[in-house]
């Protein structure tokens, strides 16, 4: 596989993740842990099918248990917080705050050995923060439930960015391991659901279709193609492309009629994407 091919495969994840908020809205009233369990079961089965087809079962034995634990915690924590945020706050606003993770990845990566945090990183952070603030200030229903949802979305952004940055320290992990991350996340989610939630099933066919779409795409195939992209493709290009996800996610919600095309919402999406883009540009600059 060439670097160009791997990069193009990685781009698929960005497009799929842009549909995460839209599909999640369609799964109401399924509670977060139950939704996690259902979607990751589908995502894990995708991985098992791929492993069986490529006969790469042996790759799973080479992965330490600590890595399996780390990957499971990252996927489980991020999606529980994400699904919970979209239940507790307006979906477009919560989704945009959650999509601060590309910017946070850039900022946190500057703290790693051999990396440097530049002034443009800080400026980009301020621009994206202004976009997130605009969501709360202009979109806002200042109700306790919505503010709690915004907090969950922010925690979601920190969870995925922390997971992504720390993953760089784990070495080259075979893509087959993602299937185990997904299945373990499904098991933990099902256990938590049994103790903490009341089971609720979709009330219309669109709900079942949304769950299937999540499991096949944003909470399934996306993790596998992203893993291929970041390991074999152009990571700089993939990182920059991920900054388009907040804008694409908002446009998808507007196109589906889930949210109104408010000027403040579009402006917030553009600010978050622009700030992250500035940070990405700073990361590509070499020291003078």
């Amino acid at each position: 596989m060439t670097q160009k091919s791997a990069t193009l495969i990685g781009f698929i994840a960005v497009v799929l993740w842009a549909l995460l908020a839209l599909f999640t809205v369609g799964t109401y009233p399924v509670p977060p842990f139950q939704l996690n369990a259902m979607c990751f079961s589908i995502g894990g089965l995708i991985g098992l099918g791929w492993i069986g087809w490529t006969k790469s079962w042996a790759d799973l034995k080479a992965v330490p248990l600590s890595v399996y634990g780390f990957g499971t915690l990252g996927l489980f924590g991020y999606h529980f917080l994400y699904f919970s945020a979209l239940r507790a706050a307006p979906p477009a606003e919560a989704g945009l705050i959650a999509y601060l993770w590309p910017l946070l990845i850039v900022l946190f990566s500057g703290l790693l050995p051999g990396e440097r945090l530049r002034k443009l990183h800080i400026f980009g952070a301020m621009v994206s923060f202004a976009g997130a603030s605009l969501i709360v200030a202009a979109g806002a229903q200042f109700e306790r439930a919505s503010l709690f949802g915004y907090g969950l979305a922010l925690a979601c952004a920190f969870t995925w960015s922390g997971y992504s940055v720390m993953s760089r320290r784990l070495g080259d992990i075979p893509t087959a391991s993602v299937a185990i991350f997904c299945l373990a996340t499904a098991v933990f989610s099902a256990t938590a659901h049994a103790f903490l939630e009341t089971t609720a099933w979709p009330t219309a066919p669109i709900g079942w279709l949304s769950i299937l779409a999540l499991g096949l795409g944003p909470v399934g195939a996306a993790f596998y193609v992203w893993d291929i992209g970041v390991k074999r493709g152009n990571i700089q290009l993939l990182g920059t492309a991920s900054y388009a996800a907040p804008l694409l996610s908002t446009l998808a919600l507007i196109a589906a009629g889930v949210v109104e095309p408010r000027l403040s919402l579009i402006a917030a999406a553009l600010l978050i994407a622009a700030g992250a883009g500035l940070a990405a540009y700073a990361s590509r600059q070499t020291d003078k």
Side-chain angles (χ1 to χ4, degrees):
M1 181 181 298
T2 65
Q3 184 185 59
K4 182 178 180 180
S5 297
T7 303
L8 290 174
I9 290 173
F11 281 142
I12 297 173
V14 177
V15 176
L16 292 175
W17 285 331
L19 297 172
L20 184 60
L22 177 61
F23 291 154
T24 300
V25 171
T27 64
Y28 181 83
V30 180
F33 280 126
Q34 180 185 344
L35 184 59
N36 249 11
M38 296 173 73
C39 293
F40 276 103
S41 293
I42 298 172
L45 290 175
I46 291 175
L48 292 182
W50 180 68
I51 292 171
W53 182 58
T54 58
K55 295 181 174 58
S56 54
W57 297 105
D59 291 344
L60 300 178
K61 298 179 181 179
V63 181
L65 289 177
S66 59
V67 173
Y68 282 129
F70 174 77
T72 300
L73 181 62
L75 296 188
F76 176 79
Y78 171 79
H79 287 87
F80 167 69
L81 290 169
Y82 187 88
F83 292 148
S84 297
L86 265 66
R87 290 286 187 268
E93 287 87 339
L96 282 175
I97 293 174
Y99 273 119
L100 285 169
W101 62 260
L103 171 68
L104 293 175
I105 287 176
V106 174
L107 293 178
F108 291 160
S109 66
L111 303 176
L112 292 172
E115 300 289 345
R116 178 183 175 187
L117 194 63
R118 298 177 173 82
K119 291 181 179 180
L120 198 55
H121 285 126
I122 306 301
F123 181 67
M126 293 173 62
V127 172
S128 285
F129 181 76
S133 299
L134 182 61
I135 294 171
V136 179
Q141 311 170 358
F142 286 100
E143 299 176 358
R144 181 174 300 179
S146 292
L147 293 177
F148 177 67
Y150 294 148
L152 290 174
L154 185 60
C156 168
F158 274 94
T159 298
W160 189 251
S161 57
Y163 165 81
S164 299
V165 172
M166 287 190 288
S167 292
R168 295 183 56 185
R169 309 291 297 272
L170 297 179
D172 188 14
I173 302 170
T175 299
S177 64
V178 176
I180 305 303
F181 297 167
C182 290
L183 292 174
T185 296
V187 171
F188 279 110
S189 297
T191 303
H193 167 67
F195 286 98
L196 301 174
E197 296 176 336
T198 300
T199 301
W201 302 105
T203 56
I206 187 65
W208 291 104
L209 290 174
S210 295
I211 291 173
L212 179 61
L214 279 172
L216 292 176
V219 191
F223 296 119
Y224 300 100
V225 295
W226 181 254
D227 189 79
I228 293 172
V230 296
K231 288 177 179 176
R232 304 181 186 179
N234 187 316
I235 297 178
Q236 286 286 349
L237 285 178
L238 287 174
T240 302
S242 68
Y243 305 140
L247 182 58
L248 293 175
S249 177
T250 303
L251 292 177
L253 289 170
I254 291 174
V258 176
V259 298
E260 295 294 327
R262 300 192 308 271
L263 181 61
S264 62
L265 194 60
I266 297 174
L270 291 173
L271 282 171
I272 291 175
L278 288 172
Y281 177 78
S283 294
R284 299 181 63 182
Q285 303 307 300
T286 55
D287 293 333
K288 301 297 183 180

